[in-house]
Amino acid sequence: ATLSDIEASEVPRTPTGQEELDRVLGGGMVQGGVVLIGGDPGIGKSTLLLQAMDGLQRSGWNTLYVTGEESGAQVALRSRRLGLDKSQVQVLAETQLEKVLATVDKLQPAVVVMDSIQTVYSEQLTSAPGSVAQVRECAAHLTRAAKASGVSIVLVGHVTKEGGLAGPRVLEHVVDTVLQFEGDRHHALRLLRASKHRFGPTTELGLFEMVEKGLQGVPDPSALFLADRQTGIAGSVVVPTLEGQRPLMVELQVLTNEVKGETPPRRSAQGLDNNRLSMLLAVLGQRLMQPVGKNDVYASVVGGVKITEPGSDLGLCLAVLSALSDQPIRPDVVAFGEVGLGGEVRQVPHASRRLAEAARLGFSTAIVPAKSPEVDANIKLVRVNTVREAMKALGLTGKVPKRTDDF
Ligand code: TYD
Ligand code: MG
């Protein structure tokens, strides 16, 4: 057959009822699909999956939660805490693969959670439980069982210090979908993304907040991130950034502090790439003659979000300029664009999505790359070719030298 002969049918999905999880899964669980979910201890993996299993069970699917880390009583305690008092999710406290498979065979659940894959071991193998060989073989076994019987399986995996999914990265090749559950210890915000997905996009982002009663979806993250914003402070600017396909309005804050004497200036970037910050500071120093070498620069993204795309460059430059000159940026302005080494402002993808989100939240003006396409959004565009033009458009002067040796 040729590709065009083959009918590309949509894979049927079973929604878990956790909308943010379903969004990342591309609609829900897939029959016979195997999902690996990784994340730091305490981030909320067990909580999320218990909530999802309960949702599936309530809509009539037979679910089994296999716990190798905690006792059945501990899982029950968590479910009470989550308010899932009458939960019909079946629980099995077991770590031996053969017994897990036998129970799956007997109960014929539609969805099984294995929390965690690192705790499972097989009698057939001589290597120690938790060893790479054990984890890999057990995952491969479970995956074969899923494909043979059509049961959907979710494997919980711990993240190692290096950030990879525990020990065997090879697990990522065995499963269909790899999800990463991330967050900042000091914030309630949790981000869920797919780094691999055989049945859907890897561009979706799921957002949750950890509250008293477990994980709650955050359908309007932009509003959440901007909720505590103080206007009229120098060094602050709002940037419409993109996380996968999802536009997020986040506030960037920069604080600068003149250093005395010969102390090397400190640079600190939170939620931003350190190298990117250094590069942009060099651009401001060389192209706009700003005294960045004489200032400590602290830059952060508010709310525990990490920005990984260059669309935030222009906003970051403007926040630095605003901080250096102690001139606040108008609060109804947003800015985005990639900044090149020449100080030029370059286009970034999805301008219309960013602008629509900014307009929705009531921003009136957007500083955008000159070549950005026309968009149908209720927001005034100020097109700029360079960081200098953007600075002028906002009435920022930058740091004006008092003495020549300031530079
Ligand atoms: P957990 O799901 O056990 O994390 P993981 O399985 O990834 O190790 O979540 C643990 C944290 O979540 C714990 O520090 C307490 C917190 N939490 C809440 O804040 N609210 C809740 O309702 C629950 C169940 C947990
Ligand atoms: Mg857990």
Side-chain angles (χ1 to χ4, degrees):
T2 64
L3 286 172
S4 66
D5 294 336
I6 300 172
E7 288 223 13
S9 57
E10 267 289 307
V11 200
R13 324 261 173 182
T14 309
T16 66
Q18 291 288 320
E19 280 177 29
E20 298 292 307
L21 171 62
D22 291 339
R23 172 208 295 279
V24 177
L25 288 173
M29 305 288 300
V30 172
Q31 224 189 27
V34 181
V35 177
L36 173 67
I37 178 165
D40 289 334
I43 204 76
K45 302 180 293 297
S46 303
T47 304
L48 176 65
L49 293 175
L50 199 56
Q51 288 179 264
M53 288 308 104
D54 190 68
L56 285 164
Q57 185 74 42
R58 272 169 217 271
S59 39
W61 300 90
N62 196 3
T63 59
L64 173 65
Y65 193 105
V66 185
T67 171
E69 307 240 318
E70 298 164 303
S71 65
Q74 281 171 306
V75 177
L77 199 67
R78 181 183 288 117
S79 83
R80 306 265 148 73
R81 181 167 172 197
L82 293 170
L84 313 175
D85 291 343
K86 299 244 160 60
S87 182
Q88 296 300 303
V89 174
Q90 301 173 91
V91 180
L92 171 71
E94 184 56 68
T95 53
Q96 194 191 314
L97 179 71
E98 287 73 19
K99 289 189 181 154
V100 172
L101 289 172
T103 308
V104 170
D105 219 36
K106 193 174 103 205
L107 299 178
Q108 297 280 315
V111 188
V112 175
V113 168
M114 184 67 241
D115 188 359
S116 67
I117 185 65
Q118 274 96 0
T119 58
V120 194
Y121 74 97
S122 166
E123 277 197 321
Q124 319 285 321
L125 300 170
T126 46
S127 42
S131 67
V132 172
Q134 281 280 5
V135 173
R136 186 180 50 210
E137 278 310 305
C138 291
H141 253 288
L142 287 162
T143 303
R144 279 197 293 276
K147 303 297 165 202
S149 68
V151 59
S152 310
I153 299 185
V154 183
L155 306 174
V156 176
H158 296 296
V159 168
T160 54
K161 285 196 195 71
E162 297 74 41
L165 278 174
R169 278 218 78 130
V170 63
L171 271 193
E172 302 184 7
H173 303 287
V174 175
V175 301
D176 300 306
T177 303
V178 180
L179 304 183
Q180 308 278 356
F181 204 30
E182 304 163 3
D184 186 322
R185 272 195 180 283
H186 309 291
H187 291 91
L189 190 72
R190 301 284 181 271
L191 291 87
L192 185 70
R193 326 167 200 262
S195 56
K196 165 183 174 176
H197 201 0
R198 247 175 220 156
F199 307 116
T202 52
T203 44
E204 289 292 351
L205 172 76
L207 278 158
F208 300 87
E209 225 181 334
M210 182 62 96
V211 295
E212 258 318 289
K213 289 219 151 179
L215 288 156
Q216 218 168 58
V218 179
D220 191 358
S222 296
L224 176 80
F225 294 145
L226 298 180
D228 297 328
R229 188 170 170 230
Q230 295 280 322
T231 53
I233 296 173
S236 153
V237 69
V238 173
V239 171
T241 179
L242 273 188
E243 269 294 340
Q245 301 287 325
R246 199 164 185 186
L248 282 186
M249 304 289 293
V250 291
E251 181 187 359
L252 300 186
Q253 290 187 330
V254 170
L255 180 69
T256 58
N257 181 38
E258 212 173 312
V259 290
K260 305 285 177 222
E262 296 302 304
T263 354
R266 296 178 54 121
R267 270 88 183 84
S268 149
Q270 254 184 55
L272 292 159
D273 181 41
N274 242 309
N275 293 327
R276 198 84 199 163
L277 174 64
S278 299
M279 185 279 258
L280 294 172
L281 290 176
V283 169
L284 294 178
Q286 293 299 313
R287 309 291 178 195
L288 283 88
M289 308 308 278
Q290 292 298 299
V292 290
K294 296 258 179 203
N295 280 273
D296 295 331
V297 178
Y298 302 93
S300 82
V301 185
V302 177
V305 193
K306 287 190 186 69
I307 301 185
T308 51
E309 58 126 9
S312 61
D313 288 356
L314 180 60
L316 188 53
C317 287
L318 293 171
V320 173
L321 292 166
S322 162
L324 281 172
S325 60
D326 198 23
Q327 295 171 299
I329 292 170
R330 270 168 43 202
D332 58 334
V333 169
V334 297
F336 67 84
E338 179 176 350
V339 171
L341 291 175
E344 78 279 16
V345 176
R346 297 167 170 273
Q347 280 188 78
V348 287
H350 305 301
S352 58
R353 249 185 232 155
R354 298 172 199 260
L355 291 165
E357 182 71 351
R360 183 180 75 80
L361 283 142
F363 289 88
S364 69
T365 308
I367 317 285
V368 301
K371 302 264 158 50
S372 300
E374 265 324 312
V375 293
D376 181 24
N378 185 21
I379 190 165
K380 184 181 158 219
L381 302 191
V382 177
R383 296 166 180 279
V384 296
N385 290 291
T386 60
V387 176
R388 189 182 293 278
E389 280 180 31
M391 176 172 121
K392 292 227 172 88
L394 288 172
L396 297 175
T397 57
K399 187 85 171 173
V400 187
K402 283 188 231 97
R403 308 183 308 266
T404 46
D405 67 333
D406 264 7
F407 295 92

